């Protein structure tokens, strides 16, 4: 298992230069690695063990197993509330009496590993776009000063080069920051769409899945049935038809065990909780970014928060004399530069930047 998942360790490596937020990385790196790990585990379980095992008389077992796996199996939803061993053989398994409308078919299980992979690719997309857009700007500006251990003349030369770049490119970074905020908003859109698609994938059962699992232990015994078994049944039925000796069609009712659903139910309960938490964090992040855009006073406090040694007067000067794009580049530098170096850079920029000639800037 370690060898199987060891290839995902690159997603958890600490970066020396950051150009995004923690929540952005949780969506792009952690969630991508999580979904890929789930896909690999389910794929390995599917091919190492027997994903389905059916019981039927008069037909080779491997034939029925293959047919029921590639077609579908079903349960009777009203049988989940009946007493096992007395009224029904297993949860959801009962006589269908040829009532097609009463059946609930399950066709998702052979697609789960592929769906998880495509979900991982969708979660990685915002990072791919941002890396292409960002183009290594922050890394180029930092020039190794995130450590700050170098000769004094080299340090001074790099600081002056950094300050010169900001002054020369003043008020030309609006598109840079807006594209980044758009990538963060894309993360929220991606999570919402994925929640909706998973709900469709599981026939409308996913939105309330985690909530029903939490309520399961508080439900009275006589009213209780496991929601994980309802969404991911462990025992289902499958109908196999074949021609008899006289040419008439024979119907074979088989009972199928789905051990893979033990893994699926645990996988998706974790995904449900993580996606809900991530969606809440992303909503908060979007609100936070709107505050940064429309409340310039917040930018002063953020510069102080990222480096407490920055004088308040210098932070106010930067916030008042720069637009949103320039402020964001300086703010990103603050998260990567050695604190004393960033303090000197902010103080010098506050002195040299000329205030804008007109209002109405971002």
């Amino acid at each position: 298992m370690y060898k199987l998942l060891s290839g995902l360790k690159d997603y958890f490596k600490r970066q020396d230069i950051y150009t995004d937020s923690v929540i952005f990385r949780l969506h792009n790196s952690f969630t991508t690695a999580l979904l890929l790990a789930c896909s690999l585990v389910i794929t390995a379980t599917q091919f190492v063990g027997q994903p389905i095992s059916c019981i039927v008389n008069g037909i080779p077992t491997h034939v029925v197993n293959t047919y029921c796996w590639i077609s579908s199996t079903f349960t009777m939803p009203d049988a989940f509330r009946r007493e096992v061993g007395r009224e029904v053989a297993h949860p959801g398994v009962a006589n269908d009496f040829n009532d097609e409308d009463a059946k609930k078919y399950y066709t998702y299980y052979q697609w789960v590993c592929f769906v998880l992979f495509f979900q991982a690719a969708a979660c990685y997309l915002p990072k791919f776009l941002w890396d292409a857009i960002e183009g290594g700007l922050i890394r180029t500006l930092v020039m190794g000063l995130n450590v700050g251990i170098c000769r004094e003349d080299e340090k001074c030369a790099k600081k002056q080069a950094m300050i010169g770049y900001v002054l020369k490119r003043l008020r030309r970074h609006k598109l840079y920051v807006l594209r980044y905020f758009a990538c963060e908003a894309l993360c929220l859109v991606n999570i919402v769409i994925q929640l909706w698609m998973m709900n469709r994938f599981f026939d409308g059962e996913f939105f309330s899945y985690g909530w029903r699992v939490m309520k399961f232990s508080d439900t009275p015994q006589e009213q209780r049935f496991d929601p994980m078994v309802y969404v991911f049944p462990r025992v289902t039925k499958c109908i196999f038809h074949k021609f008899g000796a006289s040419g008439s069609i024979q119907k074979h009712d088989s009972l199928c065990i789905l051990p893979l659903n033990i893994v699926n139910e645990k996988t998706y309960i974790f995904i449900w909780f993580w996606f809900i938490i991530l969606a809440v964090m992303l909503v908060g992040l979007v609100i936070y970014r709107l505050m940064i855009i429309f409340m310039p006073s917040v930018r002063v406090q953020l510069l102080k928060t990222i480096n407490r040694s920055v004088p308040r007067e210098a932070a106010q000067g930067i916030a008042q004399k720069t637009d949103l794009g320039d402020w964001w580049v300086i703010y990103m530098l603050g998260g990567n530069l050695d604190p004393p170096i960033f303090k000197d850079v902010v103080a010098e920029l506050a002195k040299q930047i000329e205030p804008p000639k007109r209002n109405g800037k971002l």
Side-chain angles (χ1 to χ4, degrees):
M1 184 61 71
Y2 174 77
K3 290 182 178 179
L4 182 67
L5 301 178
S6 60
L8 302 177
K9 62 184 179 181
D10 291 341
Y11 289 95
F12 300 100
K13 284 185 177 179
R14 187 181 183 278
Q15 302 176 20
D16 55 339
I17 300 295
Y18 292 106
T19 62
D20 46 28
S21 66
V22 174
I23 299 177
F24 192 70
R25 291 193 294 274
L26 283 175
H27 174 276
N28 301 327
S29 299
F30 178 79
T31 308
T32 298
L34 169 67
L35 294 171
L36 286 176
C38 292
S39 179
L40 289 172
V41 169
I42 290 174
T43 303
T45 307
Q46 178 174 321
F47 288 104
V48 172
Q50 187 71 268
I52 189 171
S53 182
C54 298
I55 304 171
V56 65
N57 294 323
I59 302 176
T61 302
H62 70 277
V63 173
V64 180
N65 287 345
T66 303
Y67 170 78
C68 294
W69 177 256
I70 64 177
S71 58
S72 63
T73 61
F74 67 90
T75 60
M76 306 296 291
D78 62 335
F80 281 97
R81 297 186 180 276
R82 300 179 192 174
E83 185 178 351
V84 177
R86 184 177 177 182
E87 299 177 282
V88 295
H90 299 278
V93 177
N95 198 320
D96 55 42
F97 298 106
N98 294 320
D99 185 2
E100 286 294 326
D101 295 333
K103 298 177 183 178
K104 178 178 175 60
Y105 283 92
Y106 299 88
T107 58
Y108 61 81
Y109 38 75
Q110 65 265 52
W111 296 102
V112 167
C113 58
F114 301 105
V115 170
L116 288 171
F117 175 80
F118 287 117
Q119 284 184 256
C123 286
Y124 190 77
L125 179 61
K127 174 177 171 56
F128 176 80
L129 292 175
W130 174 238
D131 287 346
I133 293 169
E134 203 272 337
L137 174 63
I138 300 300
R139 180 179 294 275
T140 303
L141 291 176
V142 170
M143 294 179 288
L145 294 180
N146 52 326
V147 179
I149 302 177
C150 60
R151 298 192 311 272
E152 191 62 32
D153 57 339
E154 181 184 355
K155 187 186 301 183
C156 291
K158 289 181 177 180
K159 284 195 294 185
Q160 290 303 316
M162 190 186 309
I163 293 169
Y165 170 84
V166 175
L167 293 174
K168 183 179 179 180
R169 301 284 298 178
L170 206 59
R171 301 179 186 90
R172 297 182 185 178
H173 297 102
K174 287 181 182 178
L175 195 57
Y176 177 87
V177 65
L178 291 177
R179 284 174 173 172
Y180 172 68
F181 287 175
C183 288
E184 287 188 333
L186 180 61
C187 294
L188 177 59
V189 172
N190 174 63
I191 291 298
V192 171
I193 291 177
Q194 287 203 30
L195 285 169
W196 176 79
M197 291 182 65
M198 282 189 285
N199 192 59
R200 290 290 302 272
F201 186 56
F202 293 113
D203 296 326
E205 301 291 343
F206 187 76
F207 278 155
S208 59
Y209 180 54
W211 180 249
R212 283 183 291 159
V213 170
M214 288 191 294
K215 291 176 62 179
F216 173 61
S217 59
D218 298 330
T219 306
Q221 184 66 37
E222 60 275 8
Q223 303 175 7
R224 176 183 297 186
F225 73 93
D226 192 342
M228 290 190 291
V229 174
Y230 183 75
V231 181
F232 301 100
R234 296 154 193 179
V235 181
T236 57
K237 294 183 69 177
C238 178
I239 304 298
F240 184 84
H241 295 91
K242 78 180 187 68
F243 287 103
S246 64
S248 61
I249 296 178
Q250 296 179 345
K251 176 182 176 182
H252 294 267
D253 198 343
S254 60
L255 202 64
C256 296
I257 302 172
L258 298 170
L260 188 62
N261 272 352
I262 296 292
V263 180
N264 287 335
E265 67 181 26
K266 307 301 187 299
T267 298
Y268 276 97
I269 190 62
F270 185 82
I271 289 175
W272 187 90
F273 280 106
W274 175 243
F275 269 52
I276 294 299
I277 293 171
L278 189 59
V280 172
M281 288 192 295
L282 286 169
V283 169
L285 180 63
V286 170
I287 295 173
Y288 176 55
R289 296 307 186 208
L290 291 174
M291 291 174 61
I292 292 176
I293 293 173
F294 296 108
M295 298 174 62
S297 59
V298 175
R299 304 173 196 172
V300 178
Q301 189 58 42
L302 287 176
L303 283 179
K304 287 287 296 175
T305 301
I306 202 169
N307 191 330
R308 296 181 182 275
S309 62
V310 173
R312 187 168 187 82
E313 296 77 14
Q316 288 177 335
I318 292 293
Q320 293 171 0
K321 296 177 181 180
T322 61
D323 62 13
L324 177 64
D326 300 322
W327 175 87
W328 181 257
V329 170
I330 296 170
Y331 178 74
M332 283 286 98
L333 289 174
N336 290 286
L337 290 174
D338 189 51
I341 295 176
F342 181 66
K343 175 187 174 182
D344 296 340
V345 169
V346 169
E348 189 63 29
L349 283 173
K351 293 177 183 177
Q352 296 191 34
I353 293 179
E354 295 293 332
K357 296 182 180 179
R358 58 181 181 178
N359 297 323
K361 60 185 179 65
L362 283 176

